[in-house]
């Protein structure tokens, strides 16, 4: 039997409808946790109907500030305006954005990602599609940089329950998300 995963789960945890599950680096949603945050970038994204999600990568000691800046340029190709991040040190999270969060928010971020010394949490905040595009690409790019993708392993996966259409707010029309010759789920037909 081939493992099955719902489209919604794939998009939430891996930001892709063809998730690579050979390595961890799962995405977590922080929208509810940070809905009242004082960090304006996140607060505005949530207020405008967007989401805040992040990835925790075990790369703190391996990545310099210059490498993080390269990651920021990388995600801009996928629609990000920037890349917020926090590095876990022995003293707790450090970054130029930490000062905008309450101690409770910082604690919740740490718990959400189970952050350890040397981890860096990377955040994206925008409309859900943009966040998925950004974090999906960043997740795979980080795994490649860290060398954690096993080359001799395959994880076959069947993604189910695709939506047929999604609204394209820029063009003001509905786009096909999946090809139209797919049978609808039995529970929809009943």
């Amino acid at each position: 039997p081939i493992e099955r995963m719902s489209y919604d789960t794939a998009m939430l945890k891996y930001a892709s409808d063809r998730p690579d599950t050979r390595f961890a680096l799962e995405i977590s949603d922080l929208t509810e946790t940070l809905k009242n945050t004082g960090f304006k970038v996140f607060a505005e994204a949530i207020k405008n109907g967007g989401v805040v999600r992040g990835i925790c990568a075990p790369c703190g000691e391996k990545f310099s500030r210059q490498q993080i800046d390269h990651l920021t340029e990388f995600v801009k190709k996928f629609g990000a305006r920037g890349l917020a991040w926090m590095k876990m040190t022995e003293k707790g999270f450090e970054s130029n954005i930490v000062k905008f969060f309450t101690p409770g928010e910082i604690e919740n971020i740490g718990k959400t990602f189970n952050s350890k010394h040397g981890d860096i949490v990377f955040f994206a905040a925008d409309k859900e599609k943009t966040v998925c595009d950004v974090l999906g690409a960043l997740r795979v790019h980080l795994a490649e940089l860290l060398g954690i993708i096993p080359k001799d392993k395959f994880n076959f996966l069947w993604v189910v329950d695709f939506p047929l259409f999604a609204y394209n707010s820029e063009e003001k029309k509905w786009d096909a998300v999946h090809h139209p010759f797919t049978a609808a789920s039995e529970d929809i037909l009943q």
Side-chain angles (χ1 to χ4, degrees), residues 11-187:
M11 295 306 290
L12 182 64
K13 293 173 106 176
Y14 304 100
S16 174
D17 60 4
R18 52 191 189 290
D20 191 338
T21 59
R22 295 175 296 167
F23 59 94
L25 297 185
E26 291 183 2
I27 296 164
S28 292
D29 191 300
L30 297 162
T31 308
E32 188 62 30
T33 301
L34 299 175
K35 67 181 176 187
N36 296 315
T37 188
F39 186 44
K40 198 173 186 178
V41 173
F42 291 1
E44 286 296 315
I46 294 168
K47 179 182 158 195
N48 293 326
V51 297
V52 178
R53 294 184 181 157
I55 298 174
C56 183
C59 57
E61 302 304 317
K62 299 173 189 163
F63 282 27
S64 66
R65 177 58 198 239
Q66 184 178 22
Q67 288 169 306
I68 293 171
D69 290 342
H70 287 303
L71 291 175
T72 301
E73 291 307 310
F74 173 80
V75 297
K76 286 181 179 179
K77 294 185 266 186
F78 299 93
R81 288 176 276 206
L83 183 63
W85 58 274
M86 293 181 189
K87 181 178 181 178
M88 178 59 87
T89 67
E90 292 174 357
K91 298 176 186 175
F93 280 116
E94 291 183 2
S95 171
N96 58 349
I97 66 168
V98 172
K99 62 187 173 199
F100 298 106
F101 297 93
T102 66
E105 290 170 338
I106 294 291
E107 183 180 342
N108 284 335
I109 291 168
K111 283 181 182 176
T112 298
F113 293 104
N114 194 22
S115 302
K116 299 173 204 59
H117 177 68
D119 288 351
I120 300 179
V121 178
F122 296 98
F123 302 92
D126 208 316
K127 297 290 182 202
E128 186 170 18
K129 182 182 180 335
T130 302
V131 169
C132 285
D133 291 346
V134 168
L135 291 181
L138 180 62
R139 178 179 178 270
V140 173
H141 187 62
L142 285 170
E144 290 168 349
L145 291 173
L146 295 168
I148 61 173
I149 303 174
K151 301 294 182 202
D152 59 345
K153 181 179 177 186
F154 297 99
N155 279 11
F156 293 104
L157 176 71
W158 196 293
V159 177
V160 298
D161 301 327
F162 272 81
L164 190 55
F165 298 102
Y167 188 70
N168 181 332
S169 58
E170 291 177 10
E171 296 183 24
K172 308 272 191 255
K173 67 180 184 113
W174 289 92
D175 290 333
V177 176
H178 202 52
H179 63 82
F181 306 108
T182 303
S185 295
E186 288 294 322
D187 54 336

